[in-house]
Amino acid sequence: MAESFAAGGIAVITGGASGIGRAAARRAAQAGMRIALVDVNAGKLAATAAELAEIVGNDNILTSTADVADPSAMTALARQVESRWGSPTLLMNNAAAFVAGGAGGILDPVENWQRLFAVNVLGIVNGVQAFLPGMLAAGRPAVIVNTGSKQGLTNPPGNPAYNTSKAAVNAYTQNLARDLREREDSQVTAHLLIPGWTTTGDAEHRKGAWLPEQVIDFMDSAIARDGFFILCPDDETPNETDHKRILWNALDIIEDRPALSRWHPEWKERFAEFMTQDLAPKG
């Protein structure tokens, strides 16, 4: 089975200076890994690197302010990491942009759409393009984790640009996992991390949210059992609730219902009734 945090391994973590990325970097350091930490916030990057260096030493930390949206920057980073340590055993494409949904909704400025897709989608593609060839050539077990979002699965109204970018991450990562599975002798696996309500960045922790460390615990356990969809609960929303919401969205297609019928006034009561039902047991 795959292992996320292995002693002597090499972790590359984008968006690694705060939130879930920082929690992953801390876990990697505690496991005795070498860590390439990527973040566009130079101040937070330096502070996190200093913290990690106290655990594994300065020689085992590499920092970069590369913009994941820049393919040449990611390629240069891969060359730097590989020339210094070798190919990563953990590539965590975690960097993401969030632009609050504007008043225009679908007609939000195109610049918002372009930036979200450049970071949230192409940032992941760039990370895979830069590092996967070396990971395959190394011929050893390795893990790629792409950070998605429940908004890419349930598509709630309010921020269509963000939702659409994360839906693309879902589709891309499924294709990546299948590709790796079909490659002869490949020992690289791909996994989609889908956090629940998580306290990230400088946000004040609120009751009901998970801490980033809880997300990493859940992720590590899921990867150890070779899970692909790492659908995290939180203290407010259990997995069963998420499963029902996701299933309802899928049934919109199968039953030819209105788009996003969960929020359609004529379907409100039927959705509420559906959420009271027990799902059929697995198997």
Side-chain angles (χ1 to χ4, degrees):
M1 293 298 179
E3 187 175 4
S4 310
F5 304 104
I10 301 162
V12 175
I13 303 170
T14 69
S18 64
I20 292 170
R22 182 173 60 192
R26 287 171 173 165
R27 181 66 59 84
Q30 291 162 0
M33 299 178 74
R34 288 161 286 183
I35 306 161
L37 205 62
V38 185
D39 204 287
V40 293
N41 188 314
K44 289 183 177 180
L45 183 63
T48 302
E51 175 189 346
L52 300 178
E54 291 184 1
I55 303 173
V56 294
N58 285 314
D59 290 344
N60 291 315
I61 303 295
L62 184 156
T63 62
S64 172
T65 55
D67 183 350
V68 298
D70 181 351
S72 61
M74 293 302 291
T75 299
L77 175 63
R79 289 174 181 160
Q80 183 182 9
V81 172
E82 289 170 3
S83 65
R84 182 168 173 178
W85 296 327
S87 64
T89 56
L90 169 64
L91 171 61
M92 190 166 179
N93 291 306
N94 174 71
F98 183 85
V99 178
I106 286 293
L107 294 178
D108 279 348
V110 70
E111 291 81 8
N112 287 5
W113 289 82
Q114 290 171 332
R115 182 58 182 166
L116 285 171
F117 270 76
V119 176
N120 296 356
V121 182
L122 292 177
I124 289 175
V125 174
N126 292 337
V128 172
Q129 293 277 349
F131 286 98
L132 180 56
M135 296 169 77
L136 290 170
R140 61 182 178 183
V143 171
I144 298 174
V145 178
N146 295 337
T147 301
S149 170
K150 290 181 184 179
Q151 288 184 223
L153 299 176
T154 58
N155 215 359
N159 197 336
Y162 182 79
N163 293 358
T164 306
S165 73
K166 288 299 186 177
V169 172
N170 172 23
Y172 173 78
T173 309
Q174 290 189 59
N175 280 275
L176 173 63
R178 189 215 60 81
D179 179 283
L180 294 172
R181 185 176 66 228
E182 297 298 321
R183 285 177 181 265
E184 187 175 355
D185 299 327
S186 170
Q187 298 186 65
V188 183
T189 60
H191 310 264
L192 180 66
L193 176 61
I194 312 166
W197 180 21
T198 308
T199 301
T200 59
D202 298 321
E204 180 181 354
H205 183 63
R206 295 168 59 187
K207 184 178 180 180
W210 264 17
L211 294 169
E213 290 76 14
Q214 291 175 279
V215 173
I216 296 303
D217 285 343
F218 193 89
M219 180 192 91
D220 193 26
S221 296
I223 291 174
R225 63 174 185 273
D226 201 27
F228 172 77
F229 290 104
I230 307 174
L231 183 65
C232 300
D234 52 55
D235 291 337
E236 183 178 78
T237 306
N239 267 162
E240 183 181 12
T241 298
D242 286 322
H243 293 166
K244 290 178 182 179
R245 290 171 176 172
I246 293 166
L247 178 58
W248 179 273
N249 269 28
L251 288 171
D252 278 352
I253 303 169
I254 296 167
E255 298 183 4
D256 193 22
R257 301 190 302 218
L260 300 182
S261 69
R262 175 181 163 189
W263 291 276
H264 193 295
E266 294 179 10
W267 288 82
K268 181 178 179 180
E269 292 184 4
R270 276 173 279 191
F271 172 71
E273 171 61 24
F274 176 83
M275 292 300 291
T276 67
Q277 300 172 14
D278 292 331
L279 293 177
K282 294 181 180 179

